[in-house]
C-alpha cells in the first residue's frame, strides 16, 4: 500500500538549518594560537637562558677544581700533630666511597640521581603539587647535581634567578662529568656541621673512623645531616639526628637498598658517637710557631686552604717528656713560695643550678669529673668534711682521705689550717682503687717557664714548651720572651778568651775592682759577696765567679765578644758594656740554647729549624729546608769549652747533678739574674742540647736563693735523665774532665785543621748543603746581627696582645748583679 502523501506532509513546515561554519578555519586559528604561544614561550625561555647564563661560570673549570683542604703537620715519625684550616676537609676518591653510604645519600637526597640529566622534572612537579595541596613548602626538589652547582658556583640567596641558574649549571655539569665524578665532588664539598666539610672529615669527627669503615646506621646518620647541619647535628641535637637517621634508613628500604631485617636492626642501634675534635693537644706552642713560619713564607691563604703537608722536626716522646718535666718542676718551685689558698668555696660563694636552686656538697659537679679519675691526674676535689686528723675530699664518685703528710709542703700542721667544707682545691691523684683514692694537695703555679731540646747534629727542634699551660697563656716564652740570661752568658766571653790563647789553667784575679762607665762608677761583685783571690779560669767558670768574667771581658774587648756572639747565632740586641759579661742583655731561650749546640758540634753552629720539608696535598715537593751551617770557633776551642763546662757538674754550680754526669757525661751552665728574677740552665750531651728558663712574666723575684741551680737545673736533670734512660751513655771523646795543663795540650794537638760541616747524622730525606762561607765582619764594622734568612726569625719584641705577659718590666743593664 502506498504511503499517504498527505499524512507525511501534514503539520507545520520545518525551518531550514543554516549552513555550518568552516570548522577547518577555526581549527587552523587555534593551532596558530598554540604555536604562537609556544614560540613566545620558547623565545622567553631562550631569553632567560641567554640572560641568566651570560654570567655563569665555566663548568669545565671543575676539571681542575681542588676544594679547600686542611694543612696538616707531622712529627718526625709521621704522626699528625696539628692542622690549620678554615674548613676541615679530607678529600676522598670515588673508590673510597662505600656503596652503603652512596645508597644512603641517594635514597634520602635524590632517588632519581642515576637517571635524570641534572634536573628532576617529575620531582619538581610532584613537589609543586604537594606544596599547592598543603599550601606550604613541604618538599624540596633539588637534585644532588643542583646542590653541587649551588655549593660550587652560586650564592645561598633564594630567588627565581638563582634557582634557574642552578638548574642550568646542573644540566651543564651532567654533560661534562659522569655520575661517579659528580657524586664524589658532592661528597667532598657538602657542609656537615662543626666546621667539617665532606663526608670523610665528618666520619672522622663524629665517629673517629674513615668513611669506608662506617656501619649502616653511621652512614645513614651522616647522610641525613646535609639537609640542615645545625638541626640534625648528632652532637647538638642527638634525638633529632636519630629521627633523621631513621628517615634515611626507611628511604633506603623503600628504594630496595636494604631489607627489613637491616632496617629494624639499624633503627634500633644507638648513634654511637666518638667525637674526635680537630684541636690537637700535642706541642701547641710548637705547632703555633710552625703556623706563623708557614704564613710568613706562603701566606695565610695557602696555609689555611691549600692543604700543605708539613713535615716537622718534633719528636712526640721527647715533647711529652718535656711537657711533663716542666710542669712538675714549675709546681715544685711554686710550692716553695707557700700555699695560696683554695680556688673557690661553693658554700661561701654559693653556686646555682640552671633552675635557680643552690648547689650543695652532694650535688656539686666539677668539670674535671667528666672523665674517670686516674693515677697521676691533677684533678679538682671538693672538701666534704674536715676532721682533726684528716679531710674528706670528693672527686665525683671517688673519695680520698687527706692527712697532714699529704700537704706537708704547705708547712701547715692541721687540716683545719688549710681546708673548710666547700673548698675546691687541686689534688694530685696517687692511686685509685674502686671508689677510694690516695691523693696529695697541689696547686697550679703562677710562675712560668720554658724548655727547648735540640738535636746537635742537625739543629732540629725536638721539643718546645713555651709555658705551663697553653690554654691559659698562648705567650711562647721559648721564642718570644727576651730575658736576661745571667751567668750563662759567660761561656761566650771565655770562648773568645780561649780563642785568643787563654788556657783553662791560666789564672785570673778574683778581687775587688771598679770601672768608670757612662752611667757612673760600677764595681762588680760576686754572688756570695766574697773574693777568692787568684784562681784558675777553669774554676772561675765552674763556680761562676762574676769578677773574673768582667776582668776577662775588659781584657779581650766587648766588641770582639759581640762579634763572636753573632757567629753563634745570637740576633738579639747586645749592649756593648762590661755588664754584658754577666748576662745583662736579653736573649730568647731559642737563640741561647741553639748557640750552646756549637760546643758539642766541634765549633760548628747549625741554625735551629722546625720544618724539614713542605709538600702539596698530592705529595709534590714545594720546599725543603736543609741545615744552615756556619763555622764559629775552632774545634780545639769548642772541645776545651766542653771540658770546662763539664767541670760545672764536677765541682761547680751544677754539682747536684754530678751523679747523673758520672753515668751520662754532660756539660752546661747555670744562670741567675739580679733579685732572682730569672733562672736558667743550659746543657748538653754529645747528641742533645736542652735549655730551661723559669721566671714570672712580670719580672718579680722568684724568692731568696731561687737561683738557676735550684730552680732550672732540677727540671733539666729530670728531662735529660728520662730521655737518656734507654740509651747507651755517650762520651765527649776529645773533652775529658780537666785535671792538668797537659790535657789541654793534647786537645790542641788532636784538633785537626779540617772541619766537619755536614751534620754527623743527616736526615735521610733532606741532604746537607755544601759548606757555606764563614760569617765574619770587616774590621771596624758594628757588631750587629748578620742579614740572613733563618728558619725561625726572631719574634717581635712586642708580641700580639693575646700572647703578651702582664706588666712587662724593662730593667737597667748597668744595675744588674748576676748570680751563678
Amino acid at each position: 500500500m502506498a504511503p499517504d502523501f498527505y499524512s507525511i506532509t501534514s503539520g507545520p513546515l520545518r525551518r531550514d538549518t543554516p549552513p555550518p561554519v568552516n570548522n577547518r578555519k577555526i581549527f587552523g586559528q587555534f593551532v596558530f594560537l598554540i604555536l604562537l604561544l609556544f614560540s613566545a614561550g620558547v623565545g622567553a625561555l631562550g631569553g632567560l637562558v641567554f640572560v641568566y647564563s651570560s654570567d655563569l661560570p665555566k663548568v669545565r673549570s671543575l676539571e681542575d677544581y681542588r676544594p679547600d683542604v686542611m694543612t696538616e703537620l707531622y712529627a718526625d715519625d709521621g704522626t699528625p700533630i696539628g692542622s690549620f684550616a678554615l674548613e676541615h676537609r679530607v678529600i676522598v676518591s670515588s673508590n673510597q666511597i662505600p656503596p652503603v653510604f652512596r645508597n644512603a645519600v641517594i635514597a634520602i637526597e635524590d632517588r632519581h640521581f642515576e637517571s635524570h640529566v641534572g634536573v628532576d622534572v617529575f620531582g619538581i612537579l610532584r613537589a609543586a603539587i604537594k606544596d599547592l595541596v598543603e599550601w606550604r613548602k613541604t618538599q624540596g626538589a633539588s637534585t644532588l647535581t643542583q646542590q653541587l652547582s649551588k655549593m660550587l658556583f652560586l650564592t645561598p640567596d633564594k630567588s627565581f634567578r638563582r634557582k634557574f641558574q642552578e638548574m642550568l649549571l646542573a644540566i651543564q655539569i651532567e654533560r661534562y662529568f659522569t655520575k661517579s665524578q659528580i657524586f664524589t665532588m658532592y661528597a667532598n664539598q657538602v657542609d656537615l656541621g662543626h666546621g667539617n666539610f665532606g663526608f670523610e672529615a665528618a666520619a672522622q669527627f663524629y665517629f673517629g673512623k674513615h668513611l669506608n669503615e662506617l656501619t649502616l646506621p653511621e652512614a645513614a646518620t651522616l647522610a641525613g645531616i646535609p639537609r640542615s647541619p645545625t638541626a640534625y647535628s648528632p652532637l647538638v641535637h642527638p634525638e633529632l639526628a636519630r629521627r633523621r637517621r631513621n628517615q634515611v634508613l626507611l628511604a633506603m628500604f623503600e628504594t630496595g637498598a636494604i631489607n627489613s631485617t637491616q632496617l629494624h636492626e639499624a633503627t634500633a642501634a644507638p648513634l654511637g658517637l666518638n667525637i674526635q675534635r680537630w684541636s690537637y693537644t700535642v706541642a701547641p706552642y710548637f705547632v703555633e710557631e710552625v703556623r706563623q713560619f708557614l704564613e710568613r713564607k706562603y701566606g695565610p691563604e695557602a696555609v689555611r686552604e691549600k692543604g700543605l703537608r708539613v713535615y716537622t722536626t718534633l719528636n712526640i716522646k721527647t715533647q711529652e717528656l718535656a711537657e711533663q718535666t716542666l710542669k712538675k718542676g714549675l709546681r715544685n718551685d711554686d710550692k716553695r713560695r707557700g700555699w695560696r689558698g683554695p680556688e673557690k668555696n661553693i658554700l661561701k660563694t654559693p653556686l646555682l643550678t640552671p633552675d635557680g636552686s643552690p648547689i650543695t656538697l652532694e650535688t656539686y659537679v666539677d668539670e674535671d669529673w667528666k672523665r674517670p679519675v686516674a693515677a697521676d691526674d691533677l684533678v679538682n676535689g671538693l672538701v666534704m668534711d674536715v676532721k682533726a686528723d684528716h679531710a674528706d675530699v670528693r672527686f665525683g664518685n671517688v673519695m680520698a682521705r687527706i692527712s697532714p703528710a699529704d700537704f706537708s709542703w704547705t708547712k701547715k700542721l692541721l687540716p683545719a689550717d688549710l681546708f673548710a667544707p666547700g673548698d675546691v682545691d687541686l689534688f694530685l691523684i696517687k692511686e685509685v682503687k674502686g671508689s677510694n683514692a690516695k691523693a696529695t694537695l697541689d696547686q697550679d703555679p703562677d710562675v712560668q717557664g720554658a724548655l727547648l731540646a735540640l738535636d746537635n747534629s742537625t739543629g732540629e727542634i725536638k721539643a718546645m714548651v713555651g709555658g705551663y699551660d697553653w690554654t691559659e697563656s698562648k705567650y711562647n716564652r721559648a721564642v718570644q720572651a727576651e730575658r736576661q740570661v745571667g751567668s750563662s752568658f759567660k761561656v761566650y766571653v771565655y770562648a773568645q778568651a780561649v780563642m785568643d790563647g787563654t788556657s783553662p789553667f791560666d789564672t785570673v784575679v778574683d778581687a775587688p775592682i771598679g770601672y768608670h762607665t757612662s752611667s757612673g762608677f760600677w764595681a762588680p761583685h760576686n754572688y756570695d759577696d766574697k773574693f777568692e783571690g787568684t784562681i784558675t779560669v777553669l774554676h772561675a767558670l765552674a763556680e761562676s765567679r762574676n769578677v773574673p768574667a768582667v776582668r776577662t771581658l775588659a781584657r779581650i774587648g766587648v766588641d770582639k765578644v759581640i762579634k763572636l756572639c753573632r757567629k753563634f747565632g745570637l740576633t738579639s740586641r747586645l749592649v756593648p758594656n762590661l755588664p754584658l759579661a754577666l748576662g745583662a742583655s736579653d736573649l730568647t731561650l731559642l737563640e741561647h740554647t741553639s748557640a750552646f749546640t756549637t760546643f758539642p758540634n766541634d765549633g760548628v753552629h747549625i741554625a735551629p729549624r722546625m720544618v724539614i720539608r713542605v709538600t702539596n696535598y698530592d705529595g709534590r715537593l714545594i720546599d725543603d729546608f736543609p741545615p744552615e751551617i756556619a763555622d764559629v770557633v775552632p774545634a780545639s776551642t769548642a772541645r776545651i769549652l766542653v771540658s770546662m763546662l763539664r767541670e760545672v757538674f764536677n765541682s761547680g754550680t751544677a754539682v747536684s747533678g754530678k751523679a747523673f754526669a758520672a753515668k751520662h757525661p754532660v756539660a752546661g751552665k747555670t744562670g741567675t739574674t739580679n733579685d732572682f728574677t730569672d733562672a736558667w740552665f743550659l746543657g748538653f750531651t754529645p747528641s742533645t742540647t736542652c735549655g730551661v728558663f723559669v721566671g714570672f712574666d712580670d719580672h718579680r723575684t722568684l724568692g731568696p736563693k731561687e737561683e738557676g741551680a735550684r730552680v732550672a737545673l732540677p727540671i733539666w736533670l729530670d728531662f735529660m735523665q728520662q730521655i737518656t734512660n734507654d740509651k747507651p751513655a755517650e762520651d765527649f771523646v776529645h773533652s775529658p774532665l780537666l785535671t792538668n795543663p797537659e790535657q789541654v795540650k793534647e786537645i790542641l794537638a788532636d784538633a785537626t785543621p779540617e772541619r766537619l760541616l755536614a751534620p754527623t747524622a743527616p736526615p735521610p730525606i733532606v741532604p746537607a748543603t755544601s759548606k757555606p762561607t764563614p760569617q765574619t765582619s770587616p774590621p771596624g764594622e758594628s757588631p750587629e746581627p748578620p742579614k740572613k734568612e733563618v728558619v725561625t726569625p726572631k719574634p717581635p719584641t712586642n708580641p700580639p696582645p693575646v700572647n703578651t705577659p702582664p706588666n712587662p718590666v724593662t730593667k737597667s743593664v748597668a744595675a744588674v748583679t748576676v748570680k751563678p
Side-chain angles (χ1 to χ4, degrees), residues 50-336:
F50 176 77
V51 171
Y52 289 161
S53 64
S54 59
D55 59 348
L56 288 180
K58 299 288 187 182
V59 171
R60 298 194 69 173
S61 64
L62 285 177
E63 294 177 359
D64 301 319
Y65 174 70
R66 167 73 71 181
D68 296 343
V69 288
M70 296 183 295
T71 287
E72 291 199 81
L73 274 58
Y74 302 96
D76 59 1
D77 64 351
T79 303
I81 59 171
S83 64
F84 314 123
L86 296 176
E87 300 176 351
H88 290 115
R89 178 183 283 107
V90 181
I91 301 297
V92 292
S93 58
S94 59
N95 59 5
Q96 293 175 299
I97 302 174
V100 64
F101 181 77
R102 181 185 173 98
N103 292 338
V105 174
I106 291 175
I108 195 65
E109 291 290 337
D110 187 1
R111 294 190 183 185
H112 301 95
F113 174 70
E114 299 293 351
S115 58
H116 63 62
V117 294
V119 178
D120 187 357
V121 178
F122 294 107
I124 294 174
L125 292 175
R126 281 194 305 271
I129 292 171
K130 187 166 184 178
D131 291 349
L132 288 172
V133 169
E134 300 189 14
W135 201 244
R136 64 188 178 92
K137 184 170 180 58
T138 60
Q139 286 195 340
S142 292
T143 64
L144 286 181
T145 316
Q146 286 176 260
Q147 294 179 46
L148 178 64
S149 66
K150 180 173 63 176
M151 288 187 287
L152 293 177
F153 298 115
L154 302 174
T155 60
D157 64 298
K158 296 181 179 180
S159 65
F160 174 77
R161 175 189 179 90
R162 201 272 299 159
K163 192 67 176 178
F164 196 78
Q165 288 181 322
E166 176 188 300
M167 295 168 65
L168 293 177
L169 281 169
I171 293 171
Q172 289 192 51
I173 289 173
E174 292 276 351
R175 288 178 57 201
Y176 288 108
F177 298 97
T178 66
K179 292 290 184 180
S180 176
Q181 290 172 322
I182 293 170
F183 189 88
T184 303
M185 286 189 282
Y186 174 84
N188 285 320
Q189 189 68 28
V190 65
D191 180 6
L192 289 142
H194 304 285
N196 298 287
F197 290 80
F199 288 111
E200 172 66 22
Q204 294 181 21
F205 176 78
Y206 290 113
F207 300 109
K209 297 180 178 180
H210 293 294
L211 190 59
N212 57 13
E213 297 172 338
L214 295 181
T215 63
L216 172 59
E218 290 168 347
T221 300
L222 292 190
I225 296 177
R227 182 175 179 180
S228 178
T230 301
Y232 296 127
S233 165
L235 192 58
V236 181
H237 303 291
E239 181 56 28
L240 286 177
R242 188 189 64 80
R243 293 177 187 174
R244 177 64 174 170
R245 178 202 67 181
N246 292 347
Q247 290 178 358
V248 175
L249 292 168
L250 182 60
M252 295 179 72
F253 174 73
E254 293 171 350
T255 57
I258 59 174
N259 57 39
S260 59
T261 302
Q262 291 174 303
L263 173 65
H264 293 307
E265 290 177 352
T267 53
L271 286 177
L273 299 181
N274 180 22
I275 302 299
Q276 303 292 317
R277 299 191 181 275
W278 295 103
S279 56
Y280 290 86
T281 57
V282 177
Y285 290 102
F286 178 85
V287 169
E288 173 61 16
E289 195 64 24
V290 172
R291 182 192 66 80
Q292 294 182 23
F293 166 71
L294 294 172
E295 289 194 356
R296 287 193 298 269
K297 189 167 184 64
Y298 303 113
E301 181 181 354
V303 173
R304 297 186 179 273
E305 300 176 11
K306 302 307 178 185
L308 303 178
R309 294 294 176 261
V310 183
Y311 299 88
T312 74
T313 61
L314 188 87
N315 181 272
I316 292 179
K317 181 179 178 181
T318 305
Q319 176 68 28
E320 289 175 346
L321 291 174
E323 292 177 359
Q324 293 167 10
T325 53
L326 181 67
K327 285 188 173 185
K328 177 183 174 183
L330 293 180
R331 291 203 313 274
N332 289 341
D333 175 71
D334 183 75
K335 289 174 184 175
R336 288 198 290 270

Side-chain angles (χ1 to χ4, degrees), residues 467-534:
Y468 179 79
D469 187 347
W470 165 261
T471 61
E472 296 294 328
S473 173
K474 308 298 188 293
Y475 183 66
N476 190 343
R477 295 155 191 84
V479 176
Q480 292 176 285
E482 294 182 321
R483 304 289 292 243
Q484 293 184 353
V485 298
S487 293
S488 60
F489 191 89
K490 292 173 183 174
V491 294
Y492 309 118
V493 176
Y494 287 113
Q496 183 63 58
V498 171
M499 285 178 65
D500 288 351
T502 299
S503 167
F505 292 96
D506 289 347
T507 58
V508 60
V509 177
D510 181 13
I513 192 172
Y515 299 91
H516 292 282
T517 68
S518 58
S519 57
F521 184 78
W522 178 63
H525 60 89
N526 295 311
Y527 165 67
D528 56 5
D529 288 324
K530 298 178 181 178
F531 299 95
E532 296 184 352
T534 301

Side-chain angles (χ1 to χ4, degrees), residues 371-539:
R371 57 187 178 86
V373 177
D376 297 325
D377 284 349
L378 284 167
V379 183
N380 280 334
L382 177 67
V383 179
M384 303 293 289
D385 193 12
V386 180
K387 302 290 181 62
D389 61 344
H390 73 273
D392 292 323
V393 179
R394 182 167 70 90
F395 306 93
N397 297 323
V398 177
M399 294 294 297
R401 174 174 290 192
I402 307 299
S403 63
D406 299 321
F407 54 81
S408 58
W409 61 269
T410 66
K411 305 297 191 291
K412 305 292 185 182
L413 299 178
L414 300 175
D417 296 335
L418 287 173
F419 303 118
D423 283 353
V424 177
D425 298 312
L426 187 69
F427 293 85
L428 176 64
I429 305 299
K430 294 294 188 178
E431 183 182 359
V432 179
K433 289 185 177 180
S435 60
N436 296 310
K438 293 182 179 179
T440 57
L441 181 66
D442 218 298
Q443 66 182 3
D444 282 327
D446 54 1
V447 69
Q448 285 288 352
L451 186 151
L452 270 171
L454 285 81
D455 184 279
N456 295 337
S457 64
T458 62
E460 295 178 0
I461 297 175
K462 293 301 178 183
M464 174 188 288
V465 190
Y468 179 79
D469 187 347
W470 165 261
T471 61
E472 296 294 328
S473 173
K474 308 298 188 293
Y475 183 66
N476 190 343
R477 295 155 191 84
V479 176
Q480 292 176 285
E482 294 182 321
R483 304 289 292 243
Q484 293 184 353
V485 298
S487 293
S488 60
F489 191 89
K490 292 173 183 174
V491 294
Y492 309 118
V493 176
Y494 287 113
Q496 183 63 58
V498 171
M499 285 178 65
D500 288 351
T502 299
S503 167
F505 292 96
D506 289 347
T507 58
V508 60
V509 177
D510 181 13
I513 192 172
Y515 299 91
H516 292 282
T517 68
S518 58
S519 57
F521 184 78
W522 178 63
H525 60 89
N526 295 311
Y527 165 67
D528 56 5
D529 288 324
K530 298 178 181 178
F531 299 95
E532 296 184 352
T534 301
I535 58 176
T536 64
V537 171
L538 177 64
H539 179 77

